[in-house]
Amino acid sequence: MKREIPLIITGVVGIVFIVQFFIPHEPFSSLSDIFSDWFSIIEACAIWLGALNLIKLSLDKLGKPMLLVTSAIVVVALIVGIVGAPDEFLAGRFPLILFAVAFLLMALGQYSRSKMKPDWFFALTTIASFVIMLIAGLAFSGGRTFQEPGTHYDYLYRSVYTPLSSTMFAMLAFFVASASYRAFRARNREAAMLLVAAFFVMAGRVPLAEFLGTLTPDAFSGAWATTGGFLSGAADWVMNFPNAAGQRAIMIGIALGIVSTSLRIILGIERSHIGGE
Amino acid sequence: MTPPAPPANILADDAPNDAGGAIIVRWDKSPDEGAGLDNVGAYQLLRGRSPNGPFDTVGTMTAGMTEFNDGDVEDGIDYYYVVEVIALPSPDHPNVEPPVSISRPSQPARSSAQWIHMGRLNSLLAVVILASSILYFISKAKGGEKLFIRKIAGLEAVDEAVGRATEMGRKIFFIPGIQDMNNVQTIAGVTILGRVAKMAATYDAKLDVPVPRSLVMVAARETVKQAYLDAGRPDAYDEDMVHYLTDDQFGYAAGVDGMFVRQKPATIFYMGAFFAESLILAETGNSIGAIQIAGTAMPAQLPFFVAACDYTLIGEELFAASAYLSREPKQLGSLKGQDVGKFFILLFAIGGILLATFGVYNISHWFLVR
Amino acid sequence: MAKGTQGGFWQRLMAIDRRVIFLAVGIAVSAPFFLPISPKIHITPEVESLYNALKELPAGSKVLFPFDYDPPSAPELQPMAVAAITYCLENDLKMVIMGLWPQGPQQANLALASVIEGEVGDVITYNGKTFKYGIDWVNLGFQEGREFVIQRMGSSFAAAFPRDYRGTPVDELDLMRGVTNFNNVDFVFSLSSGYPGTIEWVQLAGDRFHARIGAGNTAVQAPMVYPYYRAGQLTGILGGMKGAAEFEVLVGVKGGFGTRAMLSQTFSHAIIIFFIIVGNIAFFVGGRPSRLKGTEEV
């Protein structure tokens, strides 16, 4: 039954979602809303599974002495947070108390197995960041929603999280350059066509010709403006025609692949994702 | 100030193809719209259960609007609608309430639910054709017929990639995308994980699966555990092989990159839905000399994987991977069925191009899905 | 690795340390911020089309702003948001802000804060005019559920967002009275960097509920969205930082980040083009080594 029940649930829910697309009458229209709500609830609750797993593995990497010290500091911080949390029980205190209990149990459980690993510093940073954001958001928002401008959480969001995320994203600029340098070689006809298209799109999506026009005498500005218009037009043409056509073709293939895979899952032919063969 | 002329032809009808509880109201614009001091500022729709009222306000629309979907009615009850026209405030007397005129009431309208969505019959036909062809080829394959599937280089290399990790004594990393289990690409990725885990268990290679979603962690653990059981190596399974990092996109990319640089895996699989972090992961993997096999159905990320990885499964090849690796007849049959669907789409595309070339546009609305 | 037939220089150039490339890109991206040059920005049809769609909206029209992005995409999308909010405040368009991404509503507050004088509060001031929260703009906050939220909004905004981001019931907000579903908003301005985002808004709000939609997307997402623009399902697209710069020019935002960053983006594109050309010259002149998969970089 351990395998059969998930298969039955998958089949029923899958068929309901297909049917509700074609039959607007109740109960089909509200069934899909209900199933979607259930998924959101399960997903939200499941976040704790992952978060506690992450804390557990991080504690595992600290080694016994550091685990003791870290746990003591975290518990003290959580107590301060619980005391400072707003009066609304569910808003601040209760989740902090729940987390404190879970953390203590995990620390006790991991103590005997904990061995210091080479990446202990990253594990420590993970635990510290987690606890600081938790306490800042739940305990010290001054009765406001934690995301409102002016709260400590918002300050950490703007000063720490935003620059870190933006930095990771900015790394793409460097990686695009190194990947392009390595991979964009005109090895064959198709690669050469790709190169030419890439040149027009890259040159046309920025005012490159207009910039070069500022470096040359004014007599050439008209020619540069025309070149800029041509490059921009060429880039637009590539984006609107070959790119749109290629994207549509790939999307059609993907849609068919999704239909086929979904049918296999709904009919129970595909079972590896639930541990079947 | 005189009020603008009221709109005429207030028509109220049951909203089509819905679960009931909605009436669509349409009207002709006030003749004074866009005309001088009597210009229209707004329309206000009112609803009542009798043509003489009382009426309640249902919605306010800016000038130019001529339709409203009233989604707050009960089925089986007759409703009457009137439209009020509110003039623009006078620039000389901005604090004076602008004058209002009111239309004649509409005919009674009653909402009801429909059993069939008539605007989607074309989709239903497409689904029936596609599903039938998939089921037909599945049954043919079950009957023992050999089906030809072309070689997919990325999948042919999976064996070699896992073997490389075993020889070098380094890890295999498997990244199942950054979406949750409700995304088909993630399911496809976790399915491939099962096959890769079985090979890793057989060859005694170490597997590491950092995941960005808790539900994916749970599903992937089941899959990997079963794979190790099937390979006869339950002793080698450790549930911490599959571990959660963070839901945050770039936090996940940073964490995984750190693992790549510190642990230097020999082989990395990227199978699932990816966004901007794809190139960050793939370039880091390339810099440490790992063999990388990627598969995604995100068209925007495909170029990055093609540039940085050794093999890339493009779009539907990701969904075909599980069938391809298992070589199960039922799964291979579904791939053939999919190809039939593609053939029909190609026919319609060519037909549409020819019709459009000769200026015939009046059948394209048959293909619209409402 | 097979050796090239002509000398070590070209081989070494093809195998150049990636840190040299990183350094060159770093200089190319940062140096232009110190140069006093502003290249002229050519306006593309898809940006102009979106601007014209906004221009058609009379004063008092309601614009729905889904903020579906997070800080990493802010350099591209925030300038678009700032220009769009500026346009709305200048032309008395009412803003209904929401987000399908958790950080979206916060990004909206940041964008609003950078346009107005002073802090974001119940009353804000822009160009001498005052605007009141609940009457001229609302922030409905974030709602979990992805495209299912859009589906819900198709029948009732209040069902999808019973309260705004401060916890105020939506029926207590003047602006939201009379806003039942997409029939009661005049334009949807989707700012998105991924999923859920513009594509879901087009497929649901546009196709199913007939909303008029314009999109601001990152440069990576924009190619995926072009087919919808070509098919008329989108009124226009702002693609990447260039799209943001073009929109800033049309709206009249002076010194906007998109415009200021254009020179930096120009240099970075130029350096990548340069490296690709050099790499291909080295490839053809220096011979073509076979590429060993998954070992050293070539």
Side-chain angles (χ1 to χ4, degrees):
Chain A
M1 283 310 277
K2 195 179 164 208
R3 289 278 129 68
E4 279 73 22
I5 291 175
L7 286 174
I8 292 168
I9 294 172
T10 306
V12 166
V13 174
I15 289 169
V16 162
F17 267 95
I18 295 171
V19 164
Q20 65 82 28
F21 187 74
F22 300 106
I23 302 182
H25 205 287
E26 293 288 349
F28 298 101
S29 56
S30 48
L31 270 178
S32 69
D33 283 345
I34 290 168
F35 287 142
S36 307
D37 287 342
W38 286 359
F39 176 76
S40 299
I41 293 167
I42 294 169
E43 194 184 29
C45 294
I47 285 175
W48 276 112
L49 276 177
L52 293 176
N53 174 250
L54 176 67
I55 300 284
K56 181 193 118 175
L57 287 178
S58 301
L59 287 170
D60 218 17
K61 294 178 186 173
L62 295 181
K64 290 188 176 69
M66 195 173 306
L67 188 151
L68 279 176
V69 171
T70 306
S71 304
I73 296 173
V74 165
V75 167
V76 167
L78 285 169
I79 289 171
V80 168
I82 290 165
V83 166
D87 287 335
E88 292 90 355
F89 187 64
L90 282 175
R93 287 208 173 113
F94 181 64
L96 285 172
I97 293 170
L98 208 58
F99 178 71
V101 168
F103 184 86
L104 271 172
L105 287 171
M106 269 191 301
L108 284 168
Q110 292 305 110
Y111 180 74
S112 55
R113 288 197 289 180
S114 184
K115 280 199 181 80
M116 196 179 230
K117 303 240 169 53
D119 52 350
W120 65 268
F121 177 72
F122 301 105
L124 189 62
T125 314
T126 302
I127 295 171
S129 325
F130 188 99
V131 172
I132 290 170
M133 291 295 273
L134 192 71
I135 294 174
L138 290 177
F140 296 114
S141 293
R144 291 171 287 180
T145 318
F146 65 90
Q147 287 168 307
E148 262 191 66
T151 57
H152 295 293
Y153 185 94
D154 185 62
Y155 173 77
L156 287 170
Y157 175 87
R158 283 186 290 113
S159 320
V160 179
Y161 171 76
T162 302
L164 284 173
S165 287
S166 305
T167 304
M168 283 301 296
F169 197 28
M171 280 165 62
L172 275 176
F174 302 96
F175 286 159
V176 158
S178 65
S180 306
Y181 181 72
R182 198 181 57 250
F184 280 14
R185 304 277 159 86
R187 290 187 183 85
N188 49 42
R189 202 171 32 220
E190 290 83 11
M193 279 170 63
L194 173 65
L195 259 182
V196 169
F199 169 78
F200 279 119
V201 172
M202 275 196 285
R205 299 294 287 177
V206 290
L208 179 60
E210 287 82 350
F211 165 70
L212 291 171
T214 62
L215 300 177
T216 55
D218 285 344
F220 296 106
S221 61
W224 282 117
T226 308
T227 308
F230 169 73
L231 286 172
S232 181
D236 279 347
W237 183 87
V238 170
M239 296 298 281
N240 280 312
F241 296 100
N243 163 69
Q247 293 279 346
R248 281 189 189 132
I250 292 176
M251 282 196 254
I252 289 170
I254 287 168
L256 289 167
I258 289 174
V259 169
S260 174
T261 303
S262 304
L263 209 53
R264 293 203 300 267
I265 291 167
I266 289 170
L267 295 176
I269 297 170
E270 183 74 78
R271 300 177 193 198
S272 311
H273 60 289
I274 53 166
E277 234 314 290
Chain B
M1 265 182 82
T2 50
N9 293 329
I10 316 298
L11 291 168
D13 281 307
D14 173 35
N17 301 318
D18 68 351
I23 290 174
I24 293 189
V25 186
R26 295 185 181 90
W27 57 91
D28 292 344
K29 282 193 290 196
S30 164
D32 287 327
E33 194 169 305
L37 280 176
D38 297 327
N39 202 358
V40 170
Y43 292 103
Q44 198 146 280
L45 185 70
L46 293 94
R47 178 185 70 216
R49 295 199 188 190
S50 129
N52 302 316
F55 292 104
D56 298 313
T57 305
V58 166
T60 309
M61 277 78 47
T62 53
M65 302 289 285
T66 55
E67 188 179 295
F68 184 86
N69 186 321
D70 180 7
D72 196 23
V73 296
E74 281 176 46
D75 286 354
I77 295 176
D78 282 339
Y79 290 95
Y80 297 82
Y81 289 88
V82 292
V83 178
E84 268 184 5
V85 187
I86 306 169
L88 279 175
S90 163
D92 300 325
H93 307 283
N95 295 323
V96 172
E97 283 267 339
V100 168
S101 66
I102 193 159
S103 71
R104 293 155 74 99
S106 67
Q107 292 300 309
R110 198 183 276 206
S111 69
S112 61
Q114 283 75 51
W115 280 102
I116 309 276
H117 196 304
M118 300 304 286
R120 293 176 187 170
L121 286 178
N122 48 9
S123 289
L124 182 61
L125 187 62
V127 164
V128 165
I129 292 173
L130 190 55
S132 304
S133 74
I134 289 172
L135 291 170
Y136 170 72
F137 279 102
I138 287 175
S139 70
K140 274 191 91 168
K142 265 164 56 171
E145 183 161 326
K146 286 263 178 266
L147 298 167
F148 168 75
I149 305 287
R150 66 167 171 86
K151 269 198 187 325
I152 300 177
L155 297 173
E156 293 291 312
V158 170
D159 224 22
E160 174 205 334
V162 174
R164 180 174 186 261
T166 314
E167 278 165 24
M168 295 175 81
R170 303 214 302 240
K171 274 187 180 177
I172 301 169
F173 265 74
F174 193 102
I175 315 293
I178 65 154
Q179 291 292 286
D180 213 330
M181 283 305 288
N182 63 330
N183 189 301
V184 183
Q185 293 182 65
T186 309
I187 298 178
V190 169
T191 305
I192 299 168
L193 169 63
R195 314 264 178 234
V196 168
K198 193 171 176 185
M199 275 186 227
T202 308
Y203 292 145
D204 205 21
K206 287 174 281 195
L207 183 64
D208 198 324
V209 186
V211 301
R213 297 281 192 271
S214 310
L215 287 179
V216 177
M217 179 184 78
V218 172
R221 278 185 175 171
E222 272 300 308
T223 301
V224 172
K225 185 173 168 189
Q226 185 62 42
Y228 272 69
L229 266 170
D230 290 343
R233 294 296 316 276
D235 53 298
Y237 171 72
D238 173 9
E239 71 166 14
D240 289 335
M241 276 180 198
V242 182
H243 55 104
Y244 171 83
L245 275 185
T246 172
D247 277 45
D248 185 74
Q249 181 185 17
F250 289 106
Y252 180 72
V256 171
D257 271 2
M259 286 178 207
F260 285 174
V261 167
R262 289 191 297 273
Q263 300 181 39
K264 294 198 178 5
T267 301
I268 303 171
F269 292 94
Y270 306 98
M271 296 285 174
F274 292 87
F275 291 93
E277 75 290 344
S278 59
L279 185 63
I280 298 174
L281 296 173
E283 263 302 281
T284 308
N286 186 283
S287 73
I288 56 157
I291 185 169
Q292 301 190 104
I293 302 176
T296 185
M298 307 297 286
Q301 308 311 320
L302 286 167
F304 299 130
F305 278 138
V306 167
C309 294
D310 298 280
Y311 300 96
T312 305
L313 306 179
I314 296 177
E316 60 193 309
E317 290 175 343
L318 170 70
F319 301 112
S322 173
Y324 190 100
L325 290 171
S326 70
R327 292 283 158 184
E328 255 185 56
K330 287 191 286 190
Q331 301 219 19
L332 291 177
S334 72
L335 293 187
K336 294 302 276 191
Q338 197 176 310
D339 280 347
V340 168
K342 206 183 292 184
F343 171 72
F344 276 109
I345 290 175
L346 209 51
L347 273 183
F348 282 125
I350 293 170
I353 290 165
L354 289 171
L355 286 173
T357 307
F358 291 108
V360 178
Y361 297 108
N362 48 10
I363 65 165
S364 61
H365 64 272
W366 290 355
F367 295 88
L368 282 176
V369 177
R370 283 173 235 290
Chain C
M1 188 192 290
K3 292 262 188 264
T5 53
Q6 286 199 31
F9 171 72
W10 297 109
Q11 299 294 328
R12 284 200 306 276
L13 195 60
M14 277 199 289
I16 197 172
D17 191 329
R18 62 184 69 211
R19 286 172 290 189
V20 171
I21 301 174
F22 293 165
L23 181 64
V25 170
I27 293 171
V29 165
S30 43
F33 282 104
F34 302 102
L35 296 176
I37 304 171
S38 288
K40 189 169 175 319
I41 292 172
H42 173 81
I43 310 292
T44 49
E46 52 268 24
V47 174
E48 189 154 19
S49 169
L50 193 153
Y51 178 69
N52 289 338
L54 279 179
K55 269 187 12 179
E56 283 168 18
L57 297 174
S61 299
K62 298 185 184 76
V63 180
L64 180 69
F65 275 101
F67 274 73
D68 299 332
Y69 63 96
D70 54 5
S73 309
E76 285 178 282
L77 296 175
Q78 204 76 336
M80 296 175 193
V82 166
I85 288 173
T86 304
Y87 185 87
C88 288
L89 293 177
E90 278 179 358
N91 293 277
D92 197 28
L93 301 180
K94 312 296 181 191
M95 299 181 287
V96 179
I97 293 167
M98 45 130 329
L100 298 178
W101 288 42
Q103 303 94 333
Q106 269 169 291
Q107 293 301 132
N109 279 335
L110 287 171
L112 192 56
S114 61
V115 174
I116 60 173
E117 296 134 28
E119 304 264 322
V120 175
D122 282 343
V123 178
I124 56 175
T125 314
Y126 172 76
N127 244 359
K129 292 196 281 185
T130 54
F131 300 88
K132 292 201 176 90
Y133 183 82
I135 296 174
D136 297 300
W137 98 98
V138 293
N139 188 333
L140 300 178
F142 159 71
Q143 187 59 264
E144 179 59 66
R146 295 175 292 267
E147 62 267 34
F148 301 111
V149 176
I150 307 175
Q151 203 166 314
R152 210 45 95 57
M153 289 166 79
S155 31
S156 166
F157 274 34
F161 290 93
R163 292 173 184 276
D164 73 353
Y165 87 113
R166 296 173 177 183
T168 312
V170 144
D171 49 19
E172 288 176 21
L173 300 168
D174 282 346
L175 183 57
M176 295 304 291
R177 288 201 191 110
V179 176
T180 310
N181 50 39
F182 288 107
N183 287 300
N184 312 123
V185 295
D186 303 290
F187 195 79
V188 178
F189 198 133
S190 163
L191 292 159
S192 109
S193 65
Y195 168 80
T198 298
I199 293 176
E200 285 66 44
W201 283 100
V202 169
Q203 288 173 347
L204 288 163
D207 287 354
R208 218 187 269 196
F209 303 115
H210 311 299
R212 279 191 90 207
I213 307 179
N217 300 114
T218 55
V220 168
Q221 202 195 12
M224 288 183 62
V225 161
Y226 266 89
Y228 297 104
Y229 169 68
R230 299 288 315 159
Q233 291 161 288
L234 278 174
T235 56
I237 306 176
L238 312 180
M241 200 173 284
K242 173 112 188 307
E246 292 174 39
F247 194 56
E248 283 173 350
V249 166
L250 288 171
V251 168
V253 173
K254 298 273 180 288
F257 182 74
T259 314
R260 283 185 289 125
M262 267 292 99
L263 191 64
S264 169
Q265 192 164 355
T266 304
F267 271 54
S268 57
H269 279 217
I271 199 89
I272 293 174
I273 292 171
F274 169 75
F275 274 119
I276 291 174
I277 292 171
V278 163
N280 275 279
I281 292 171
F283 180 69
F284 282 106
V285 171
R288 302 172 196 205
S290 64
R291 183 160 173 259
L292 269 180
K293 292 205 188 317
T295 51
E296 308 100 41
E297 39 180 313
V298 176

